[in-house]
Amino acid sequence: MSDTQARGQQAMLDSRRPFFYPDSSSDTEEYRRDSEERRKRLSRRNISNVRRPNMMSKTQSPNAPIPSTSSQEPKTDKKNLIGEDRITLVVDNTRFVVDPAQFTAHPNTMLGRMFSSGIDFTHTNERGEYEVAEGISATVFRAILEYYRGGTIRCPPTVSVQELREACDYLLVPFDANTVRCQNLRGLLHELSNEGARRQFETFLERLILPLMVESAQRGDRECHVVVLLDDDSVEWDEEYPPQMGDEYSQTVLSTPLYRFFKYIENRDVAKQVMKERGLKKIRLGVEGYPTYKEKVRKRPGGRAEVIYNYVQRPFIHMSWEKEEAKSRHVDFQCFKSKSVTNLAEATADPVTELEPVRAREEVEAPENPEEQPEEQ
């Protein structure tokens, strides 16, 4: 091989080698930048591949079916079940959407009885709503609903305690210090006192007053007058000089608690209402003087003796169970004009015989003015 051919082959090998300048700093920096950018692109691509499933789930179309999990299904069913069990109550043109299970948890109340199973007291209107609590305002009913949810009732400031009490009595909801919270303590305590007075007087009526009423009824009386004395009051009447007429027909009961009960006017009103509910009539309650013992006897002109008794002011109660008290107590004589007997002669004459009934009827029904009588043809 000649020298010329050897140099030609060496030139071809050199042309195939990469063009590299080891001493060039700029080419080295460009290579490093290219390699770093390549690594960054690869890292971004790997990250995008990892997050792609979540991003696809967010960008899914709304019409695509969403896979449901076992934890979501019971929650949806429960929500639908509560929605189906809800009912609508209409009170004072106001609608209340409630769960009837709250009412059935209190079966002694009126709403609890209405919506209990097996009892059909409720009827819906054309909209499928229940119209209840007629005469009760929506504000009061909203407050009473709190009893079914939390066991307490907060009386609104715009509602009187008496109105709330009447609504609770109508709906058979307990009204006491444990269930009612009220800003007006005087009104609340007044209603609680009325309830306590009712229970206490019913006990007095059965234990102390009713035996005296039975004793009067067994004597044939239709009324009873009872004077309430203290336990330490003593009554000593003189048999020769008794008190004035009228006091001897009254009956007495020794009871200091009953005396204290009648000291309050409000308690008398409660007692009167209780006796009205028990069917008694002509009820009178008050305070009157009652003779206890004889002080002295004074002689009046003519030899008539006048007795002076010591009187004490004590409460009394009067009631009646007479059924015919509205009728007259005396005999009424009603006079009718007679058309058959015109004078004393006819009154003393013999009665009309049975052979002349038609003639007698003609005489009774004959007109007074003979000119008006039709002529016979």
Side-chain angles (χ1 to χ4, degrees), residues 197-213:
R198 172 180 291 271
R199 292 194 300 265
Q200 189 175 12
F201 182 73
E202 287 178 350
T203 303
F204 289 144
L205 181 62
E206 296 289 338
R207 184 168 55 89
L208 300 177
I209 302 176
L210 182 58
L212 301 179
M213 298 168 60

Side-chain angles (χ1 to χ4, degrees), residues 103 184 192 230 255 372:
F103 301 144
N184 185 5
L192 295 178
L230 298 174
S255 176
E372 296 179 359

Side-chain angles (χ1 to χ4, degrees), residues 29 67 83 96 100 117 133 144 146-148 172 187 212 240 246 258 277 288 293 298-299 307 316 333 351 365-367:
E29 290 175 359
F96 298 89
S117 58
I144 294 179
E146 296 298 327
Y147 169 77
Y148 294 97
L172 301 179
L212 301 179
E240 185 179 358
L258 184 56
E277 294 174 358
E288 66 180 0
Y293 59 90
R298 184 172 56 186
K299 297 293 183 178
V307 60
F316 74 93
F333 295 94
E365 298 178 358

Side-chain angles (χ1 to χ4, degrees), residues 34-45:
D34 293 339
S35 62
E36 288 177 2
E37 290 178 1
R38 192 180 304 110
R39 285 195 301 269
K40 289 180 181 179
R41 285 195 298 270
L42 292 173
S43 63
R44 291 195 194 100
R45 188 179 303 170

Side-chain angles (χ1 to χ4, degrees), residues 197-219 223-229 250-255 257-259 261-262 267-268 270-272 274-275 278 280-281 283-286 315-321:
R198 172 180 291 271
R199 292 194 300 265
Q200 189 175 12
F201 182 73
E202 287 178 350
T203 303
F204 289 144
L205 181 62
E206 296 289 338
R207 184 168 55 89
L208 300 177
I209 302 176
L210 182 58
L212 301 179
M213 298 168 60
V214 172
E215 183 180 349
S216 298
Q218 291 176 348
R219 293 197 304 261
E223 56 186 358
C224 182
H225 187 93
V226 179
V227 179
V228 181
L229 302 178
S250 61
Q251 296 172 289
T252 60
V253 55
L254 297 175
S255 176
L258 184 56
Y259 169 84
F261 177 85
F262 282 123
N267 288 354
R268 300 176 195 171
V270 172
K272 191 172 184 179
V274 170
M275 288 188 292
R278 301 293 290 269
L280 299 175
K281 303 178 181 179
I283 303 169
R284 293 186 294 111
L285 294 99
F316 74 93
I317 176 173
H318 182 92
M319 75 292 293
S320 172
W321 52 91

Side-chain angles (χ1 to χ4, degrees), residues 131-267:
E131 298 179 358
V132 297
E134 183 178 358
I136 298 178
S137 65
T139 304
V140 175
F141 188 76
R142 185 179 293 106
I144 294 179
L145 284 180
E146 296 298 327
Y147 169 77
Y148 294 97
R149 298 167 183 169
T152 58
I153 304 173
R154 295 191 177 274
C155 182
T158 57
V159 176
S160 64
V161 184
Q162 182 179 3
E163 183 180 359
L164 180 62
R165 167 63 185 278
E166 293 175 354
C168 290
D169 292 344
Y170 177 80
L171 296 174
L172 301 179
V173 174
F175 185 95
D176 51 38
N178 297 325
T179 59
V180 179
R181 300 291 183 268
C182 184
Q183 183 68 22
N184 185 5
L185 292 180
R186 184 184 65 86
L188 176 61
L189 294 176
H190 175 74
E191 295 299 330
L192 295 178
S193 296
N194 288 343
E195 183 65 22
R198 172 180 291 271
R199 292 194 300 265
Q200 189 175 12
F201 182 73
E202 287 178 350
T203 303
F204 289 144
L205 181 62
E206 296 289 338
R207 184 168 55 89
L208 300 177
I209 302 176
L210 182 58
L212 301 179
M213 298 168 60
V214 172
E215 183 180 349
S216 298
Q218 291 176 348
R219 293 197 304 261
D221 297 337
R222 305 285 177 173
E223 56 186 358
C224 182
H225 187 93
V226 179
V227 179
V228 181
L229 302 178
L230 298 174
D231 291 333
D232 55 354
D233 285 341
S234 60
V235 179
E236 298 178 358
W237 290 358
D238 192 341
E239 296 181 358
E240 185 179 358
Y241 300 101
Q244 296 180 0
M245 184 178 62
D247 295 329
E248 64 273 13
Y249 297 106
S250 61
Q251 296 172 289
T252 60
V253 55
L254 297 175
S255 176
T256 301
L258 184 56
Y259 169 84
R260 294 183 62 256
F261 177 85
F262 282 123
K263 181 176 65 174
Y264 303 101
I265 299 177
E266 290 86 352
N267 288 354

